[in-house]
Amino acid sequence: MEDVYILAFESSCDETSVSIIKNGHEEIATVVLSQMDIHALYGGVVPEIASRYHVESITLVIEECLKKANMTMDDITAIAVTYGPGLIGSLLVGMQAAKTLSYLYNKPLVPVHHIAGHIYANNLVEPMKFPLMALVVSGGHTEIVLMKDDYEFKKIGGTLDDAVGEAYDKVARVLNLPYPGGPLIDKLSFEGEDTYSLPTPLDDDSYNFSFSGLKSAVINMSHNEIQRGNPIRKADLACSFQNRVVDILVKKTIKAMKEYNVYNLIVAGGVAANKGLRNKLTEECAKEGYHLVFPVMKYCTDNAAMIGAAGYYAYKLGRVSDLTLNSKANDELK
Ligand code: KG4
Ligand code: ZN
């Protein structure tokens, strides 16, 4: 069969990224331009600034990616693009670039859901084996998704309020850590001990999550300590918070694996980089005999390589679109 080269675009938040992926698993070239340092000045992503930087850098990122791959547009089979969810102004920049190239070079246009991208980042590690359970943990999503085949997504549970990455970032702000705080809390947690008494988030029989109560407990606790003039032991608080989060994520995921009789587990999204989560899942999966895959660290957070991997399977399934395709700030995983 002829090789398929997907040129992929990701611009849903504050990374401008373009990648070329061969046959859904082989990375030819990827360029990720992060705006993190700029947004860190404001303590979070500023949408208007993000879209402006995407506009400034997108053509350079495309050129650099093709150059790195030593390829031209003639070598490309199809163009995949994150259509949503995400920041609408940011999404539109990648979308416009993808549509323009699709029109100019007469290449099929393949829309990809951002979370499908995070899930298929695992396919860059090894071929995904079905049925599988996907634990999706990012700045905008926290879901347990059952997949019986490519693009068959069945959500069996999700967060009722904050996404897990969002909770990390909000707690980090209270601890005066710069944006994005997730990786810093993760690092700090290994320097501290689980000494703070924090509530366990939504420990019920469902596969849903709730992190806002835990987040508020951390915020209230630190405010109270400050008012009493007591120093906050940041590393201990980070450790206590991370343990509550990781414990419930792992507990509900393993329970879902058992109930649905699934032996393959993949983790997806920015929080898949979390070392506490990686350690605990690795331990529990070894105990249960489950096959566990994580994306490589650099492809846990937003990148176009994952969109290229997801785009290949979408293309194979005929999920192509005409040029009326538009970006969507919100959309169900499909
Ligand atoms: O997937 P992603 O790049 O963007 C979304 O699609 O949301 O995820 C970003 C999120 C941020 O909230 C960031 O703090 C979190 O992932 N994150 C982490 C870690 N690395 C990134 N959270 C906890 N521990 C980490 N090591
Ligand atoms: Zn993401």
Side-chain angles (χ1 to χ4, degrees):
M1 223 175 48
E2 215 173 292
D3 288 329
V4 173
Y5 292 90
I6 302 282
L7 177 70
F9 288 83
E10 160 61 40
S11 69
S12 66
C13 192
D14 58 344
E15 269 91 20
T16 319
S17 183
V18 176
S19 177
I20 297 170
I21 298 292
K22 181 179 170 184
N23 299 333
H25 62 86
E26 195 183 321
E27 186 185 5
I28 305 297
T30 303
V31 179
V32 183
L33 192 72
S34 177
Q35 309 170 359
M36 207 183 276
D37 294 348
I38 296 151
H39 298 288
L41 301 171
Y42 305 94
V45 178
V46 183
E48 285 78 6
I49 294 177
S51 47
R52 220 174 299 153
Y53 274 97
H54 284 306
V55 171
E56 273 181 23
S57 36
I58 188 81
T59 48
L60 298 172
V61 174
I62 299 167
E63 277 170 17
E64 197 185 326
C65 182
L66 284 166
K67 197 169 144 201
K68 217 170 154 186
N70 202 13
M71 290 170 86
T72 69
M73 283 306 295
D74 293 337
D75 303 314
I76 300 298
T77 317
I79 296 171
V81 59
T82 304
Y83 72 90
L87 302 172
I88 194 69
S90 293
L91 286 164
L92 282 166
V93 180
M95 176 61 74
Q96 201 52 46
K99 276 162 72 166
T100 304
L101 290 179
S102 162
Y103 176 68
L104 270 178
Y105 293 95
N106 197 22
K107 306 285 179 188
L109 184 63
V110 183
V112 174
H113 190 284
H114 181 73
I115 296 302
H118 275 303
I119 288 174
Y120 277 89
N122 288 279
N123 207 65
L124 296 166
V125 177
E126 60 175 61
M128 280 157 52
K129 292 183 203 75
F130 301 105
L132 62 79
M133 207 60 88
L135 173 63
V136 178
V137 277
S138 74
H141 287 76
T142 307
E143 289 169 11
I144 299 178
V145 178
L146 173 64
M147 286 181 77
K148 292 203 170 143
D149 210 339
D150 283 310
Y151 277 89
E152 284 185 17
F153 304 111
K154 186 174 182 242
K155 179 176 161 182
I156 64 166
T159 183
L160 304 175
D161 40 60
D162 290 358
V164 62
E166 190 184 351
Y168 265 94
D169 293 339
K170 286 180 182 164
V171 164
R173 261 183 113 134
V174 175
L175 298 183
N176 279 325
L177 301 171
Y179 172 85
L184 299 169
I185 295 207
D186 187 15
K187 190 164 172 278
L188 258 184
S189 76
F190 285 90
E191 294 161 19
E193 280 175 42
D194 188 345
T195 53
Y196 280 96
S197 162
L198 295 173
T200 300
L202 194 64
D203 190 9
D204 63 359
D205 281 341
S206 79
Y207 296 113
N208 291 327
F209 300 100
S210 168
F211 295 108
S212 78
L214 174 61
K215 173 198 69 187
S216 302
V218 175
I219 294 171
N220 292 340
M221 175 163 299
S222 61
H223 286 166
N224 290 343
E225 293 288 72
I226 289 165
Q227 269 166 14
R228 288 195 203 106
N230 295 335
I232 298 164
R233 302 184 310 278
K234 283 188 188 183
D236 291 346
L237 194 50
C239 177
S240 308
F241 169 75
Q242 175 142 312
N243 280 358
R244 296 295 94 69
V245 171
V246 167
D247 284 354
I248 201 68
L249 285 174
V250 173
K251 182 177 176 183
K252 291 203 171 182
T253 304
I254 299 291
K255 182 171 174 289
M257 303 278 293
K258 284 186 181 155
E259 188 185 325
Y260 288 85
N261 237 340
V262 173
Y263 293 86
N264 299 302
L265 175 63
I266 62 170
V267 190
V271 186
N274 186 275
K275 290 215 174 55
L277 181 63
R278 284 182 175 238
N279 292 349
K280 178 115 186 173
L281 272 181
T282 303
E283 211 176 276
E284 292 301 313
C285 285
K287 259 191 230 161
E288 302 291 340
Y290 294 155
H291 183 63
L292 171 67
V293 182
F294 289 101
V296 293
M297 286 300 256
K298 66 176 174 177
Y299 293 149
C300 285
T301 43
D302 294 346
N303 65 86
M306 67 186 199
I307 304 301
Y312 170 80
Y313 294 94
Y315 175 69
K316 283 284 182 195
L317 290 167
R319 294 163 64 109
V320 294
S321 173
D322 61 23
L323 293 171
T324 60
L325 180 67
N326 212 344
S327 307
K328 281 188 177 173
N330 296 301
D331 203 25
E332 278 295 297
L333 175 61
K334 60 179 190 277

